[in-house]
């Protein structure tokens, strides 16, 4: 073991560090309670029926009063719900509801907490990967990663995909309004695919994903939404999914996970119609580490360490772009694939 240099800490700096860590550890301790509250319907019930005492919330959700009292206390201490001492009730503000209880909200964050849970459950596999250099495939993670990612990214798609992202592409919305066919590559649970399908009823959509469990969930979602007549989902890889002459091919938050994103992008280029468009959406990042030392970079570097880089390393190519690849590296990938 390497010797640790014995340098006396500065008291003020140590106090500041410990103060920061109190907030960090408190947030980490609260994370599993958010997942639990979502699973048991505590957030949605409190949002719909509050203000409620802890006992009333427990009765309304069929849970134990003592456990729910402690959960409510933790949520109030975290600022995730509000507490009224006068009548010992708990309630949620409109902002708290948007973050924790409203599934259609563009800022719902519960999915991110589910991703955190999956990251913690994957610690043993990642420790082995760190020692051996091997990859950890997407399918090797806990199920909460799959549904957590779907919920986490859904908000951005609800708030941006139809309103701003697609209209920013020359001629695409006009083409989809007339019809056409769209491939959503790396579609996961199909959230992005179904949002586009609802907005463009004349077009047909097919989602491809290498993960059979996600494809099954997407098919169920399409049936439930009444869109299965023109939306289909298939197990397929980005490098060899079937079909030609697509009007639009999309990759949402997945190209950086691929072992060989260049060959994936090259196949996408070949599968497009001559007048077709490739839409690539990736996590926002600067081109250097220094540019990404911020709250967004912190979150994505952590997820990239536990999920994205191991996923790439488990595949042929293992380019390992990471979740903070930046525009310069992504442009280089697309140029190597033949895009202009």
């Amino acid at each position: 073991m390497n010797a640790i240099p014995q340098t006396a800490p500065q008291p003020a700096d140590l106090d500041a560090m410990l103060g920061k860590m109190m907030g960090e550890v408190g947030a980490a301790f609260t994370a599993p309670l958010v997942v639990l509250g979502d699973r048991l319907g505590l957030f949605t019930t409190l949002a719909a029926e509050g203000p409620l005492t802890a006992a009333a919330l427990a009765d309304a959700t069929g849970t134990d009063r003592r456990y729910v009292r402690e959960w409510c206390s933790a949520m109030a201490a975290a600022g995730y719900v509000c507490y009224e001492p006068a009548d010992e009730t708990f309630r949620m503000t409109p902002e708290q509801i948007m973050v924790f209880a409203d599934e259609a909200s563009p800022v719902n964050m519960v999915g991110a907490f589910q991703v955190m849970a999956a990251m913690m459950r994957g610690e043993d596999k990642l420790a082995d990967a760190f020692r051996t250099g091997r990859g950890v495939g997407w399918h090797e993670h806990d199920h909460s990663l799959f549904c957590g990612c779907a919920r986490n990214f859904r908000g951005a798609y609800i708030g941006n995909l139809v309103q701003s992202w697609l209209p920013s592409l020359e001629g695409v919305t006009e083409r989809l309004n007339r019809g056409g066919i769209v491939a959503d590559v790396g579609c996961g649970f199909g959230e992005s695919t179904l949002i586009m399908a609802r907005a463009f009823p004349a077009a047909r959509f097919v989602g491809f994903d290498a993960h059979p469990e996600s494809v099954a969930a997407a098919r169920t979602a399409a049936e439930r939404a009444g869109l299965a007549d023109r939306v289909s989902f298939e197990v397929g890889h980005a490098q060899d999914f079937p079909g030609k002459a697509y009007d639009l091919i999309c990759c949402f938050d997945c190209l950086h996970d691929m072992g060989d994103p260049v060959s994936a992008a090259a196949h996408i280029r070949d599968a497009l119609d001559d007048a077709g468009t490739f839409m690539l959406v990736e996590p926002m990042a600067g081109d250097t580490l220094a540019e990404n030392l911020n709250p967004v970079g912190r979150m994505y570097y952590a997820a990239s360490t536990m999920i994205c880089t191991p996923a790439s390393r488990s595949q042929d190519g293992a380019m390992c772009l990471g979740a903070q690849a930046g525009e310069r590296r992504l442009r280089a990938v697309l140029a190597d694939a033949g895009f202009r």
Side-chain angles (χ1 to χ4, degrees):
M1 181 180 292
N2 295 330
I4 299 175
Q6 296 299 311
T7 303
Q10 296 296 317
D13 292 342
L14 180 59
D15 284 346
M17 186 66 183
L18 291 175
K20 174 179 172 65
M21 293 314 298
M22 286 296 293
E24 300 285 315
V25 173
F29 278 18
T30 306
L33 300 184
V34 172
V35 176
L36 192 63
D38 174 68
R39 178 176 179 176
L40 297 174
L42 299 175
F43 284 121
T44 52
T45 302
L46 187 59
E49 302 181 20
L52 293 172
T53 63
L57 178 58
D59 292 346
T61 55
T63 51
D64 180 81
R65 289 185 172 188
R66 184 65 188 88
Y67 282 125
V68 171
R69 173 71 192 189
E70 212 69 2
W71 180 88
C72 286
S73 301
M75 292 298 100
Y80 295 173
V81 305
C82 299
Y83 174 61
E84 301 296 341
D87 55 5
E88 296 189 335
T89 59
F90 298 87
R91 62 178 178 84
M92 297 182 74
T93 65
E95 296 77 19
Q96 290 165 341
I97 290 171
M98 288 186 71
V99 171
F100 293 109
D102 183 0
E103 282 293 322
S105 166
V107 294
N108 188 298
M109 293 291 292
V110 175
F113 286 89
Q114 291 179 298
V115 173
M116 281 189 270
M119 290 166 64
M120 293 298 295
R121 292 165 189 161
E123 178 191 352
D124 289 343
K125 291 178 181 177
L126 266 297
D128 180 66
F130 266 67
R131 296 186 183 103
T132 64
R134 78 172 187 88
V136 179
W138 179 264
H139 64 284
E140 297 182 72
H141 287 279
D142 184 83
H143 174 79
S144 57
L145 175 63
F146 317 139
C147 55
C149 276
R151 295 179 73 184
N152 184 52
F153 287 112
R154 179 196 299 151
Y157 303 154
I158 289 173
N160 297 283
L161 178 49
V162 173
Q163 299 91 325
S164 59
W165 294 349
L166 285 169
S168 74
L169 304 175
E170 184 178 350
V172 168
T173 55
E174 294 83 357
R175 192 164 184 169
L176 296 184
N177 279 324
R178 294 193 301 267
I181 183 167
V182 178
D184 191 355
V185 178
C187 64
F189 278 25
E191 298 288 351
S192 50
T193 324
L194 297 175
I195 289 170
M196 290 187 290
R198 292 187 186 98
F200 301 100
R204 292 180 295 124
F205 296 81
V206 55
F208 296 104
D209 200 281
H211 185 229
E213 183 179 338
S214 293
V215 170
R219 287 171 177 167
T220 299
E223 291 282 356
R224 189 179 299 121
L227 296 170
D229 59 327
R230 56 188 183 86
V231 180
S232 62
F233 293 97
E234 304 294 336
V235 176
H237 293 82
Q239 291 84 353
D240 59 7
F241 63 89
K244 288 285 187 181
Y246 289 102
D247 296 280
L248 174 68
I249 299 179
C250 309
C251 280
F252 295 100
D253 298 292
C254 64
L255 189 75
H256 66 269
D257 295 306
M258 298 177 190
D260 189 353
V262 174
S263 67
H267 179 67
I268 287 169
R269 184 176 181 275
D270 290 342
L272 280 170
D273 182 76
D274 289 342
T277 299
F278 176 32
M279 178 164 68
L280 174 64
V281 175
E282 283 285 303
M284 186 67 178
D287 292 320
T288 66
L289 172 59
E291 293 175 85
N292 299 325
L293 299 182
N294 53 58
V296 173
R298 174 191 184 185
M299 180 174 66
Y300 275 113
Y301 277 127
S304 187
T305 303
M306 298 292 286
I307 302 165
C308 310
T309 302
S312 177
R313 194 154 242 193
S314 72
Q315 304 167 48
D316 292 339
M319 188 172 184
C320 300
L321 281 173
Q324 291 285 271
E327 185 173 343
R328 185 171 61 204
R329 292 183 72 196
L330 295 171
R331 281 187 177 274
V333 166
L334 297 185
D336 289 345
F339 282 97
R340 57 182 171 81

